[in-house]
Amino acid sequence: ETGVTQTPRHLVMGMTNKKSLKCEQHLGHNAMYWYKQSAKKPLELMFVYSLEERVENNSVPSRFSPECPNSSHLFLHLHTLQPEDSALYLCASSQVFESSTDTQYFGPGTRLTVL
Amino acid sequence: AQSVTQPDIHITVSEGASLELRCNYSYGATPYLFWYVQSPGQGLQLLLKYFSGDTLVQGIKGFEAEFKRSQSSFNLRKPSVHWSDAAEYFCAVGRGGSGYNKLIFGAGTRLAVHP
């Protein structure tokens, strides 16, 4: 595997289900990100982990719970979602330097549908 | 506050024609600028980026972009479009500073290519 991979690619879940999205980066990076991409809305940054520490939580509802067990893996745990949470969830990674000239590389996304 | 405007929601060009996608940004300091492309059902692929130096930046797939500080613009160009260039294009500005490079994305421009 190369780059950033995400599983599953498609997920359909009911509002009472619990599921998890997985992201893995094979680039040796030290920061990972979750974004939400809804129709007709710009990409929204949800969470950022840098050196396995959460450094950003963009007012995301608690029904989304991120987990970063190591620098290569990132999870997004989902529970009691709403239909408006249906979207493409994108993972990205970057190598963070002091100068913050890092570049983010994206995975293919997980298309989530909440019924 | 940082913002990115992509004035054109949809653009249609003929195959072989030249292309220019507009991007205007609002940011107080020197911006870090990016163009990404997203094919249907896929994640974002980095086309090119500008951090400093030469204001004309070359990217992959024959794309280039020019940073014009006086116009707060970072327009993407390609001299001859191929049918495979049909996709959605996103301009982004990075905050820089300490920590990771926080990206603000434009709403995107969807490109259609006629044979």
Side-chain angles (χ1 to χ4, degrees), chain B residues 1-71:
Chain B
Q2 292 170 277
S3 66
V4 177
T5 302
Q6 293 180 247
D8 305 303
I9 298 174
H10 289 101
I11 282 185
T12 301
V13 299
S14 298
E15 192 168 17
S18 64
L19 173 70
E20 183 170 31
L21 301 182
R22 295 183 291 165
C23 173
N24 294 98
Y25 67 89
S26 172
Y27 185 58
T30 300
Y32 299 142
L33 296 161
F34 304 81
W35 275 101
Y36 287 88
V37 60
Q38 184 178 33
S39 297
Q42 299 298 314
L44 276 67
Q45 181 183 22
L46 178 69
L47 283 176
L48 48 78
K49 61 186 178 183
Y50 172 79
F51 286 166
S52 65
D54 193 344
T55 56
L56 185 61
V57 180
Q58 301 298 319
I60 62 171
K61 304 185 180 188
F63 285 92
E64 66 178 26
E66 187 171 11
F67 170 57
K68 292 186 177 180
R69 183 186 300 274
S70 61
Q71 299 177 18

Side-chain angles (χ1 to χ4, degrees), chain A residues 9 33 35 37 42-43 45 48 55-56 58 88 90 96-108, chain B residues 32 34 36 38 41-46 49 51 88 90 95-103 105-107:
Chain A
R9 294 293 309 277
Y33 311 75
Y35 286 87
Q37 187 179 32
L43 271 79
L45 179 65
V48 181
V55 296
E56 182 113 14
N58 247 5
L88 183 68
L90 292 164
V96 175
F97 306 101
E98 281 189 13
S99 60
S100 296
T101 54
D102 55 298
T103 298
Q104 292 177 30
Y105 295 88
F106 287 78
Chain B
Y32 299 142
F34 304 81
Y36 287 88
Q38 184 178 33
Q42 299 298 314
L44 276 67
Q45 181 183 22
L46 178 69
K49 61 186 178 183
F51 286 166
E88 190 152 22
F90 293 92
R95 173 192 66 191
S98 61
Y100 71 99
N101 206 349
K102 182 173 183 176
L103 296 183
F105 285 87

Side-chain angles (χ1 to χ4, degrees), chain A residues 2-3 11 16 25-26 29 35 57 64 68 73 94 96:
Chain A
T2 59
L11 178 62
T16 58
Q25 60 94 1
H26 310 267
H29 289 165
Y35 286 87
N57 177 347
F64 295 91
C68 186
H73 294 87
S94 73
V96 175

Side-chain angles (χ1 to χ4, degrees), chain A residues 34-96:
Chain A
W34 279 117
Y35 286 87
K36 178 182 179 182
Q37 187 179 32
S38 307
K40 300 179 182 178
K41 275 189 171 183
L43 271 79
E44 301 172 68
L45 179 65
M46 300 175 71
F47 301 105
V48 181
Y49 278 82
S50 179
L51 300 171
E52 300 160 42
E53 180 182 341
R54 192 191 307 180
V55 296
E56 182 113 14
N57 177 347
N58 247 5
S59 303
V60 179
S62 59
R63 57 186 184 269
F64 295 91
S65 175
E67 179 190 2
C68 186
N70 55 61
S71 60
S72 299
H73 294 87
L74 183 66
F75 295 89
L76 188 63
H77 303 300
L78 316 171
H79 65 97
T80 59
L81 293 192
Q82 304 298 311
E84 59 265 28
D85 297 322
S86 299
L88 183 68
Y89 288 85
L90 292 164
C91 175
S93 71
S94 73
Q95 182 64 21
V96 175

